[in-house]
Amino acid sequence: MRYDTLTFDCYGTLVDWQGGIAKAFADAAPTGADASPSAVLEAHAAAEPELQAGTYRSYADVLSAVARLTADRLGWSHCPDEGAFLPASLVHWRPFDDTAEALERLHTAGARMAILSNVDDDLLTGTLRHLPAVFEFSITAEQVRSYKPAPAHFDTCRARLGPSVRWLHVAQSWFHDVRPATALGIPVCWVNRTGEAPGSGGPPIAEFPTLAAVAEWLGA
């Protein structure tokens, strides 16, 4: 293995957050309201970083507020349940098809693994029921009281791991993970599932379209 310790962002890297969000809005949409996946995801992507950048609030609260803003931008007549449908849906979001097998391969190869996620502890607990039991620990926004790209997740993890580990962070989001981790001197492997263009900052040390390809590259 090139690295003995792997940390992962969860939603977008291991779990299909775009599919989960799109389904949540489609299920909640008032009759006749626009709930096309492209419009929902565009509005969501614009709203979430803005709400995460202020004073810390729980991710469930962030998601509810994002849902209300998204519904407003989509021109919905009202937002069902004041947006609570969106955080309630998170525990039903499903892993990508390659996630479980890739994680099992890495675990069998001896990798130490953890999750660094912009989420509440209880929401992540629900998600972990859909994933193999291979993670030694998790660091959440609830624990560090901030959201990536702020450095607290990475600083906390570095303090926990110590200076001598060969650490690789594996993530999909350039904004939340690739750029800030690289700026902190942490090697990053970019899981670019949707073929996005790279942003500013970085670069990652490697880029792959799937987690399965990452596992193969790591020698698992």
Side-chain angles (χ1 to χ4, degrees), residues 86-103:
L86 187 55
S89 75
L90 187 144
V91 296
H92 304 293
W93 300 356
R94 304 299 300 180
F96 292 104
D97 290 343
D98 67 326
T99 294
E101 182 179 358
L103 290 175

Side-chain angles (χ1 to χ4, degrees), residues 22-82:
K23 184 179 187 305
F25 274 88
D27 291 345
T31 302
D34 180 11
S36 63
S38 59
V40 165
L41 293 172
E42 181 179 356
H44 179 278
E48 186 179 63
E50 177 182 334
L51 290 166
Q52 289 177 335
T55 302
Y56 173 77
R57 59 202 291 192
S58 75
Y59 193 55
D61 286 348
V62 168
L63 283 181
S64 294
V66 167
R68 293 193 296 271
L69 281 174
T70 300
D72 183 63
R73 291 172 180 177
L74 293 173
W76 287 15
S77 59
H78 66 284
C79 184
D81 300 325
E82 291 297 308

Side-chain angles (χ1 to χ4, degrees), residues 8-10 12-16 94-107 113 130-132 134-135 170 172 189-194 208-217 220:
F8 299 85
D9 176 55
C10 187
T13 305
L14 308 178
V15 173
D16 182 8
R94 304 299 300 180
F96 292 104
D97 290 343
D98 67 326
T99 294
E101 182 179 358
L103 290 175
E104 292 284 12
R105 286 167 58 188
L106 291 165
H107 180 65
M113 293 188 283
H130 305 300
L131 298 172
V134 297
F135 299 106
V170 182
Q172 176 271 330
C189 181
W190 187 23
V191 185
N192 189 8
R193 292 185 180 275
T194 58
F208 297 99
T210 64
L211 195 65
V214 175
E216 183 175 354
W217 172 69

Side-chain angles (χ1 to χ4, degrees), residues 174-189:
W174 191 281
F175 173 76
H176 293 98
D177 292 272
V178 174
R179 184 172 64 185
T182 302
L184 292 167
I186 302 164
V188 184
C189 181

